[in-house]
Amino acid sequence: MSKDYVTEYAKKVVSGKILASKKNVKACQRHLDDLKSTDLPYHFDVEKADHVIKFLQMLPDPKTGKIMKLAGFQKFIVGSLNGWYNKEGNKRFTKAYISMSRKNGKTLIVSGLALYELLMGKDPINERLVGLSANSRDQASIAYDMTYAQLSSIRRVSPKIKGITKITPSAKEIEKVNDRSKVKAVSNEASNLEGHQFSYAIIDEYHEAKDKKIYETLRRGQVLLHNPSLIIISTAGTNMNGPMYEEYQYIDKVLSGNAENDNYFIFCAEQDKEEEIYDPDNWIKSNPLMEISELKKLLVKNIQPEVKTALDSGSGLNGILIKNFNMWRQASEESYLDFNDWKKNEEDFDIAGTKVYIGLDLSRADDLTSISFVHLNETNKQYYVTSHSFVGTKGGLQGKIERDLIDYYQLAKDGYCTITDLSSGIINTDQVLDYIESYVSKNNLDVQAICYDPYAIHGVLAEMERRGWYYDLHEIRQGPATLSNPTLDFKLKVIDGDVKHEKNPLLDRAVKNAIAKDTNDSIMIEKKMHREKIDPLMSTLFAYVIAYEHGWDDEEVSMPIFI
């Protein structure tokens, strides 16, 4: 008789019997809701889910040699992946996102799943290829070595398994000889992967990936399969411009019901708030192995000193939050804004008829030209930011895309930027001014001022006059005397929730890239690398220099100090 461990765990999490992250509560509720759904074209097969659980519980832990006893969350993961099917018998979940703090057995689970697919898989019947991939060959070897150790233990006690498998350690390859299926360790070198059809692909520590090359290569090889599987497995990281963080944002939409994807399995164990790190009873949210009491004692014993040291020293907390509590943090603790503070203020707002301050950061070719509109929400005494950027093509747009790691084609298609129409590749300022005119007219905006950086303003002011623009013009020089107070005030208002903004990937990226430089008690922002764009944020701050002088009708506002 098979036992439904998956549903049992889901019920414990949803009821609160097992404490879990908000995302995992939603993931468990999703499972329970799907069991009751009459519209979902999938059913849950308890026997198939139990089969993979029993298989993994026959495998030895590579480090101890003892048979693995799966925790409830591990049964939930492997049972979900192998228990949901459609009426044709094909798997529901073709993609998975599995994330938790380090030392919680995620790689061990995946190595066991790889071995299960090699020995038990049926699609295709012959020559299945299981890829254990990562950013580096050393990282890919970790999961492979676990799979190798588990299979070696089985071969010692099972002549049948020994007879149908072959291990080639030098090639990091395991073969099932009777159907020519293989498990291979591969690194993030797309040229080595092209042409392979990985029916079951695993990307380990995906947070280290700088682009989607390996993901796209693995996925392309699966398009003709009925039961492809691509599993992303990783802790959180610092690269908030990378593909893993894009997935992290997307899974939140799926779990919240704002995006529909029935074929994506999600398990994300993380702390919901930074304050939770002070109470070890909350740590199970990001360290689900704490479900097992003896392992909870061990994890608390090992993590607690690291947390105390980081808190006492006031440094290194980012590393603790990422690795021990699976929370995304920016690479530099000098970051101007915590991106989580920024992102929580993203919302829609009706800008029609609002008073607006326009910030203009011009470039000629290499950087972006950006316009930002700081609207006044006079009802709530808040600011609302919208933005648009212009992209030069000098030197070739494709090269710029690869250098900046930004898909300007797609962003232009989505309406977040405009690509220059000049054959020279430099920014066409007529396009910039046309955009401002159209935006102001379409939304019936009451323009209070245009605030601009004097660099590269050549001829633009004259063109504004020729167009009959009679707005107040403010030159914003890039120096602490002008920018320090507004820059600090803007940051504080973001934290307090008094600066809201539209969804805008280029403005988001600028916030992620900006670091704060403190010089002589003045704050300025800059970027670490040339290709890291902060222009949309700079144009926002230019507008805010004058916007934050605005006095709401019933309050007195302190004016900035200009030296």
Side-chain angles (χ1 to χ4, degrees):
M1 175 71 72
S2 298
K3 185 174 180 180
D4 189 354
Y5 293 103
V6 177
T7 303
E8 180 183 274
Y9 178 80
K11 287 180 177 178
K12 287 180 179 179
V13 167
V14 171
S15 68
K17 189 173 183 180
I18 294 177
L19 188 62
S21 66
K22 290 179 181 178
K23 287 186 177 65
N24 278 346
V25 172
K26 291 177 181 177
C28 288
Q29 186 64 61
R30 180 192 189 194
H31 173 80
L32 298 178
D33 290 343
D34 289 350
L35 287 176
K36 300 174 184 176
S37 174
T38 56
D39 298 325
L40 194 71
Y42 303 97
H43 65 277
F44 186 65
D45 190 320
V46 175
E47 288 188 10
K48 288 182 178 177
D50 194 41
H51 190 266
V52 68
I53 291 169
K54 287 178 179 176
F55 176 84
L56 263 65
Q57 292 198 133
M58 291 170 55
L59 300 176
D61 184 322
K63 293 181 180 178
T64 65
K66 296 180 180 179
I67 299 300
M68 291 196 306
K69 178 179 171 66
L70 297 184
F73 83 93
Q74 293 169 317
K75 294 174 182 177
F76 177 74
I77 292 171
V78 300
S80 294
L81 290 175
N82 290 272
W84 283 96
Y85 291 84
N86 64 15
K87 62 183 180 180
E88 287 80 26
N90 295 321
K91 285 182 182 178
R92 169 186 178 179
F93 293 119
T94 58
K95 183 177 174 181
Y97 180 107
I98 301 171
S99 182
M100 63 195 75
S101 299
R102 65 181 180 178
K103 305 302 179 186
N104 274 265
K106 59 184 181 298
T107 305
L108 191 60
I109 298 171
V110 171
S111 65
L113 286 172
L115 191 55
Y116 183 81
E117 180 65 20
L118 176 74
L119 299 175
M120 308 289 183
K122 296 178 181 178
D123 184 28
I125 293 177
N126 296 311
E127 299 183 355
R128 291 180 306 285
L129 189 54
V130 180
L132 298 172
S133 70
N135 213 44
S136 68
R137 188 167 178 81
D138 287 344
Q139 184 63 46
S141 295
I142 294 174
Y144 171 84
D145 289 343
M146 289 183 176
T147 305
Y148 166 83
Q150 290 169 338
L151 180 59
S152 296
S153 295
I154 297 174
R155 282 163 56 95
R156 284 194 289 269
V157 298
S158 173
K160 180 179 178 181
I161 295 297
K162 185 175 182 180
I164 63 171
T165 58
K166 174 184 175 183
I167 300 175
T168 310
S170 60
K172 294 287 184 185
E173 184 175 289
I174 299 169
E175 183 178 0
K176 186 183 176 195
V177 295
N178 60 336
D179 62 16
R180 303 177 302 284
S181 296
K182 294 179 181 179
V183 173
K184 291 174 64 74
V186 291
S187 61
N188 190 10
E189 297 170 356
S191 60
N192 295 337
L193 302 177
E194 293 289 356
H196 290 295
Q197 186 184 69
F198 287 96
S199 57
Y200 203 92
I202 297 157
I203 308 177
D204 199 6
E205 296 302 346
Y206 192 43
H207 74 270
E208 295 178 353
K210 294 180 176 61
D211 54 45
K212 298 184 73 171
K213 189 180 295 182
I214 193 167
Y215 170 90
E216 290 170 347
T217 303
L218 292 170
R219 212 46 165 162
R220 278 198 299 272
Q222 297 183 329
V223 293
L224 294 177
L225 297 171
H226 293 292
N227 290 283
S229 289
L230 180 61
I231 298 175
I232 294 168
I233 177 168
S234 183
T235 55
T238 60
N239 184 8
M240 289 184 165
N241 289 325
M244 174 77 174
Y245 190 73
E246 288 181 16
E247 292 291 333
Y248 177 75
Q249 292 178 295
Y250 179 64
I251 64 162
D252 189 51
K253 294 178 181 177
V254 173
L255 292 174
S256 299
N258 296 321
E260 187 175 335
N261 193 332
D262 289 334
N263 306 115
Y264 200 169
F265 173 77
I266 299 162
F267 185 90
C268 184
E270 62 181 2
Q271 296 305 137
D272 294 315
K273 296 183 293 185
E274 190 172 316
E275 294 78 16
E276 292 176 343
I277 72 171
Y278 298 101
D279 183 359
D281 285 339
N282 287 318
W283 294 358
I284 189 174
K285 287 186 176 186
S286 57
N287 294 270
L289 266 183
M290 287 186 174
E291 173 194 338
I292 302 172
S293 57
E294 57 267 31
L295 291 179
K296 177 180 179 179
K297 293 177 183 177
L298 182 61
L299 285 165
V300 170
K301 175 187 172 184
N302 291 331
I303 295 173
Q304 212 158 26
E306 292 187 52
V307 175
K308 187 177 187 308
T309 300
L311 292 173
D312 289 346
S313 65
S315 63
L317 189 58
N318 260 12
I320 298 296
L321 292 172
I322 293 166
K323 295 301 179 185
N324 294 112
F325 299 108
N326 203 36
M327 301 180 76
W328 282 90
R329 285 297 180 269
Q330 283 152 291
S332 173
E333 294 191 17
E334 299 173 343
S335 296
Y336 168 56
L337 280 169
D338 184 327
F339 186 68
N340 296 300
D341 286 332
W342 173 258
K343 200 63 179 173
K344 74 174 191 255
N345 292 334
E346 181 182 298
E347 62 179 44
D348 293 326
F349 175 69
D350 184 4
I351 62 171
T354 55
K355 293 179 180 177
V356 67
Y357 293 82
I358 302 174
L360 184 57
D361 186 19
L362 291 167
S363 74
R364 293 299 290 164
D366 197 37
D367 281 336
L368 302 176
T369 280
S370 294
I371 310 167
S372 288
F373 302 85
V374 176
H375 306 264
L376 303 184
N377 179 349
E378 300 191 87
T379 302
N380 296 329
K381 299 177 187 174
Q382 292 177 338
Y383 302 90
Y384 187 78
V385 180
T386 61
S387 183
H388 191 82
S389 295
F390 297 80
V391 184
T393 59
K394 192 173 182 180
L397 183 58
Q398 187 57 42
K400 185 178 181 67
I401 289 171
E402 293 173 3
R403 183 179 67 250
D404 295 350
L405 301 177
I406 301 173
D407 188 347
Y408 292 115
Y409 283 122
Q410 186 60 49
L411 289 173
K413 183 178 178 182
D414 294 339
Y416 296 112
C417 67
T418 298
I419 296 169
T420 185
D421 59 4
L422 295 181
S423 58
S424 64
I426 66 172
I427 300 295
N428 184 350
T429 54
D430 282 338
Q431 284 182 292
V432 177
L433 297 181
D434 287 347
Y435 183 90
I436 294 174
E437 279 187 336
S438 174
Y439 191 80
V440 168
S441 174
K442 180 177 67 175
N443 295 292
N444 191 30
L445 299 178
D446 182 1
V447 178
Q448 303 296 295
I450 294 180
C451 315
Y452 61 90
D453 176 6
Y455 175 76
I457 199 71
H458 319 292
V460 177
L461 296 180
E463 177 59 26
M464 288 181 184
E465 187 174 336
R466 280 194 295 270
R467 291 179 178 229
W469 292 15
Y470 299 107
Y471 306 128
D472 284 345
L473 301 177
H474 292 263
E475 182 179 288
I476 309 296
R477 293 196 172 274
Q478 292 201 40
T482 304
L483 287 174
S484 181
N485 285 349
T487 298
L488 179 58
D489 191 77
F490 185 84
K491 175 178 180 175
L492 294 175
K493 281 193 168 59
V494 168
I495 294 170
D496 289 341
D498 289 330
V499 172
K500 306 293 186 182
H501 60 92
E502 67 173 354
K503 175 185 177 182
N504 188 309
L506 282 171
L507 182 55
D508 284 352
R509 185 174 285 259
V511 169
K512 295 173 193 174
N513 289 338
I515 61 172
K517 184 179 180 182
D518 193 342
T519 307
N520 298 326
D521 296 324
S522 296
I523 182 174
M524 293 288 290
I525 66 170
E526 57 185 33
K527 55 189 177 182
K528 278 193 172 181
M529 297 175 63
H530 178 67
R531 67 173 174 81
E532 293 180 340
K533 305 305 179 187
I534 62 172
D535 310 272
L537 179 58
M538 290 307 302
S539 62
T540 300
L541 290 174
F542 293 160
Y544 190 72
V545 168
I546 307 302
Y548 103 127
E549 295 180 24
H550 176 82
W552 308 106
D553 291 340
D554 59 349
E555 74 177 13
E556 196 174 308
V557 176
S558 59
M559 301 291 281
I561 299 172
F562 295 105
I563 298 172

